[in-house]
């Protein structure tokens, strides 16, 4: 039973890690969606605020109309009292009482609605600031993520390039070595051929000036320094 619990715990832990890895990989996408959702909620809040403001203004206009009616009815009640028509004056007074009761009921409503508007404006402003700050933070994280991915790609490319360069350098060294060995083989073959034909001995004799028909530089200089030989006198016919 204990082993079974451990296996269940391991499976749950593995599933959590997998889910966390997926969430981390999609973190920016999730944040973008959350920002969009917050923006939608802000739009709904602004609509509600606009509706509340519109209703409050409608009530204020109603109050303004009631105040105007009260002013007119007060004048009418005074006129009726001056003429001694108390029944009419009482009817007007009853209407004035209803108007004043309506105004008295609506004034607190207007005050409450104004207070609610102020609270909503404060909340909306605060939420706008938080959303904007989160959006900037997401932009920074996205930029950093792009830069780090580029750096990783460059590092990977450099690693591959350095590996390729190392392989190319090794190949070049082996090629130079093969060429050097081949050159030595050519030189050795030429020396063997000269030895077979005696060309190497002729070269040594030529350099020493001992080969017939060859002269060394010293021989040529000695010849040029020697006085020219006198030609023998030719015998001329003497006439008797």
């Amino acid at each position: 039973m204990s082993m079974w619990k451990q296996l269940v715990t391991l499976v749950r832990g593995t599933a959590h890690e997998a889910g966390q890895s997926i969430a981390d990989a999609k973190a920016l996408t999730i944040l973008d969606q959350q920002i969009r959702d917050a923006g939608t909620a802000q739009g709904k809040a602004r609509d509600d605020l606009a509706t509340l403001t519109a209703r409050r203004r409608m009530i204020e206009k109603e109050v303004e109309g009631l105040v105007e009616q009260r002013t007119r009815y007060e004048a009418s009640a005074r006129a009726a009292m001056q003429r001694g028509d108390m029944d009419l004056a009482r009817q007007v007074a009853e209407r004035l009482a209803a108007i004043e009761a309506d105004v008295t009921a609506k004034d607190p409503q207007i005050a409450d609605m104004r207070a609610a508007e102020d609270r909503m404006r404060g909340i909306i402003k605060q939420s706008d600031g938080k959303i904007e700050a989160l959006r900037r933070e997401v932009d920074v994280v996205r930029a950093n993520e792009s830069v780090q991915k580029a750096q990783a790609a460059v590092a990977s490319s450099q690693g591959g390039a350095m590996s390729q360069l190392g392989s190319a350098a090794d190949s070049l060294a082996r090629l130079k070595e093969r060429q050097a060995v081949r050159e030595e083989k050519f030189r050795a073959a030429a020396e063997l051929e000269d030895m077979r034909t005696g060309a190497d001995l002729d070269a040594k004799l030529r350099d020493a000036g001992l080969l017939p028909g060859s002269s060394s530089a010293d021989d040529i200089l000695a010849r040029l320094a020697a006085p020219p030989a006198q030609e023998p006198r030719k015998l001329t016919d003497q006439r008797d």
Side-chain angles (χ1 to χ4, degrees), residues 138-213:
V138 169
D139 291 340
V140 171
V141 172
R142 180 178 285 107
N144 289 337
E145 186 71 11
S146 299
V147 170
Q148 290 180 357
K149 286 182 179 179
Q151 289 176 338
V154 170
S156 177
S157 300
Q158 285 182 342
M162 293 302 293
S163 176
Q164 292 177 359
L165 287 175
S167 299
D170 293 339
S171 299
L172 181 60
R174 289 192 297 271
L175 180 59
K176 288 181 177 180
E177 183 179 0
R178 285 196 299 270
Q179 289 178 347
V181 172
R182 191 180 298 118
E183 187 68 24
E184 290 296 330
K185 286 181 179 180
F186 291 155
R187 187 178 295 109
E191 291 176 354
L192 290 174
E193 181 64 19
D194 289 343
M195 291 176 63
R196 187 184 67 81
T197 60
D200 60 335
L201 182 59
D202 291 342
K204 291 179 181 180
L205 292 173
R206 186 180 300 107
D207 293 339
L210 300 177
L211 190 68

Side-chain angles (χ1 to χ4, degrees), residues 39-54:
T40 301
Q42 287 292 93
K44 178 64 167 54
R46 289 188 177 88
D47 290 340
D48 293 342
L49 175 59
T51 300
L52 180 60
T53 302

Side-chain angles (χ1 to χ4, degrees), residues 48-169:
D48 293 342
L49 175 59
T51 300
L52 180 60
T53 302
R55 291 178 178 174
R56 187 258 303 166
R57 289 175 179 175
M58 291 174 62
I59 295 175
E60 287 178 341
K61 288 182 178 179
E62 292 177 2
V63 171
E64 290 176 359
L66 291 173
V67 171
E68 292 177 357
Q69 290 182 23
R70 183 177 62 186
T71 301
R72 290 198 305 270
Y73 283 134
E74 285 179 351
S76 299
R78 291 190 184 94
M81 291 175 64
Q82 290 175 358
R83 288 191 306 183
D85 193 347
M86 297 305 297
D87 291 337
L88 181 59
R90 180 173 291 278
Q91 292 178 5
V92 174
E94 291 175 353
R95 177 57 182 164
L96 282 170
I99 290 173
E100 290 180 355
D102 199 1
V103 170
T104 301
K106 284 182 169 58
D107 282 341
Q109 295 178 1
I110 293 173
D112 292 340
M113 295 174 78
R114 284 185 178 276
E117 290 175 39
D118 292 338
R119 287 194 302 271
M120 290 182 67
R121 287 191 186 94
I123 293 172
I124 291 173
K125 183 178 180 180
Q126 184 179 11
S127 299
D128 285 342
K130 290 181 178 179
I131 292 173
E132 186 61 27
L134 181 59
R135 185 179 288 111
R136 288 194 297 268
E137 187 174 356
V138 169
D139 291 340
V140 171
V141 172
R142 180 178 285 107
N144 289 337
E145 186 71 11
S146 299
V147 170
Q148 290 180 357
K149 286 182 179 179
Q151 289 176 338
V154 170
S156 177
S157 300
Q158 285 182 342
M162 293 302 293
S163 176
Q164 292 177 359
L165 287 175
S167 299

Side-chain angles (χ1 to χ4, degrees), residues 11-48:
V11 171
R12 290 176 60 190
T14 304
H16 176 74
E17 289 180 356
Q20 192 67 38
S21 298
I22 295 173
D24 291 342
K26 299 296 183 180
L28 291 176
T29 303
I30 294 172
L31 283 173
D32 288 336
Q33 184 59 47
Q34 289 176 342
I35 290 174
R36 286 192 293 269
D37 293 342
T40 301
Q42 287 292 93
K44 178 64 167 54
R46 289 188 177 88
D47 290 340
D48 293 342

